Amino acid sequence: MDKKIYIFGHKNPDTDSICSSLVSEILYKKSGISNVEARRLGNVNKETQYILDYLKIQAPELLENVEEGQEVFLVDHNEFNQSVEGIEKAKILRVTDHHRIANFETSEPLYYNAKPYGCTATILFEEFKNNGIEIEKKEAILMASSIISDTLLLKSPTTTEFDKKVLEELGRIADLDIEKYGLEMLKAGTDLDDFSEEELISLDAKALEKNGSKFVIAQVNTVSIEDVMKRGESLKTAIKSKINNDGLALFVLAITDILNSNSQIIAIGERVDAVENGFGIELENDTAFLEGVVSRKKQLLPQIDKNI
Ligand code: MG
Ligand code: MG
Ligand code: MG
């Protein structure tokens, strides 16, 4: 049997990480690479589960770590601290990603397709087109779902004109009412009731590092900031214990209102000054309201990163 090549997105996988892994498997199999297999690095969130149920397909298998020399394709991330255990020893053959490049190194040449689009799936769409590979309904829905998720239905400032065009075309291919499907899908991800505070702060958390300072920016989507803030004090307690356990200089939780495109943040740690200076605000009771802020990649991370 052929040796397998695993394709996976980041830890605490979001919709783009899961769907772009599944789409990549389809794309590269159609291109003649038969031994590729999608994997996931953690639990599937409720938004992604909505998509899998809609398509009646299974999530990729869980991958806990990789052995030395394991061949892998990375999607939707490149930073090693967001990747699988053992990634330093793996053989990274390909990266398809729309994030900054940091904490990444390989010893051998590779394919690296980085585009500043709103979503990894938009890059994959372009690969289908460039290679003359047919897009069928299943992969069209997976890619459309990724774009809807990452761009919050094209409302995030990460959205490019190309994302808009691609989503429209995918809607046509899949014969899908994007607005209706998209809102249902996003709402499915805002049902946070069954999660403990510890789970809530790690559902969509990104571990980052700069000048030896470890920090985390986590995000949850909601249709009511007020509802989530009812658990504010317990969320703060969970964040404080995470900071202590992991030796973090800063933990920021963004509670993002997907209907009105704003975020309430809770920021704790010895480097909260990076948040206050980055946004020109003063935290009150560890929190602040950030008008018009919805994107970790384009708004939260750059402001915090340059002040830390
Ligand atoms: Mg992602
Ligand atoms: Mg993404
Ligand atoms: Mg995201």
Side-chain angles (χ1 to χ4, degrees), residues 17-249:
S17 270
I18 299 290
C19 293
S20 285
S21 301
L22 291 166
V23 170
S24 294
E25 180 181 321
I26 296 168
L27 168 67
Y28 298 118
K29 280 193 169 146
K30 285 187 178 186
S31 317
I33 309 174
S34 59
N35 57 335
V36 285
E37 272 193 28
R39 287 287 185 271
R40 64 182 162 89
L41 301 190
N43 293 335
V44 168
N45 69 32
K46 288 189 186 177
E47 181 191 280
T48 311
Q49 192 59 50
Y50 176 91
I51 300 151
L52 300 174
D53 292 345
Y54 184 91
L55 286 168
K56 300 188 176 67
I57 58 173
Q58 297 290 313
E61 265 176 58
L62 182 69
L63 181 66
E64 306 212 44
N65 52 58
V66 291
E67 304 287 322
E68 171 134 29
Q70 172 66 50
E71 296 187 331
V72 301
F73 291 180
L74 307 186
V75 296
D76 198 38
H77 76 296
N78 64 81
E79 298 190 43
F80 283 4
N81 40 335
Q82 298 166 10
S83 199
V84 72
E85 297 311 314
I87 188 66
E88 337 39 56
K89 302 171 296 175
K91 191 167 174 195
I92 304 170
L93 300 178
R94 184 182 288 271
V95 179
T96 311
D97 188 25
H98 66 132
H99 293 88
R100 70 173 192 178
I101 301 172
N103 306 308
F104 177 85
E105 189 175 62
T106 63
S107 51
E108 287 182 56
L110 75 159
Y111 290 98
Y112 200 122
N113 193 357
K115 295 277 168 70
Y117 298 156
C119 180
T120 304
T122 308
I123 310 174
L124 293 171
F125 173 93
E126 200 171 56
E127 288 198 19
F128 272 95
K129 291 288 175 182
N130 289 346
N131 293 294
I133 293 166
E134 191 199 352
I135 298 173
E136 291 173 83
K137 191 163 177 167
K138 178 174 145 190
E139 52 267 26
I141 292 174
L142 287 167
M143 287 189 276
S145 301
S146 277
I147 297 172
I148 292 163
S149 172
D150 267 10
T151 66
L152 294 176
L153 256 172
L154 306 178
K155 284 195 295 186
S156 166
T158 54
T159 311
T160 64
E161 285 308 309
F162 189 53
D163 293 300
K164 293 180 191 169
K165 270 179 51 187
V166 169
L167 184 56
E168 210 186 301
E169 183 167 344
L170 290 169
R172 271 198 302 275
I173 295 170
D175 194 20
L176 191 67
D177 180 339
I178 293 291
E179 278 294 319
K180 182 165 172 283
Y181 170 83
L183 212 51
E184 284 301 311
M185 186 200 109
L186 290 174
K187 279 192 179 153
T190 65
D191 171 15
L192 305 172
D193 291 350
D194 328 335
F195 296 110
S196 68
E197 283 72 24
E198 288 70 26
E199 288 167 328
L200 270 190
I201 65 165
S202 64
L203 280 176
D204 179 12
K206 286 237 161 100
L208 300 145
E209 197 165 342
K210 190 171 174 199
N211 303 330
S213 286
K214 292 205 287 181
F215 62 109
V216 170
I217 306 178
Q219 189 166 32
V220 291
N221 288 346
T222 183
V223 288
S224 164
I225 287 176
E226 207 189 327
D227 259 14
V228 181
M229 286 308 287
K230 283 184 189 146
R231 302 168 73 178
E233 289 311 311
S234 348
L235 286 167
K236 287 179 203 170
T237 308
I239 289 170
K240 283 174 191 158
S241 88
K242 182 80 182 158
I243 288 173
N244 285 335
N245 290 338
D246 296 0
L248 303 174

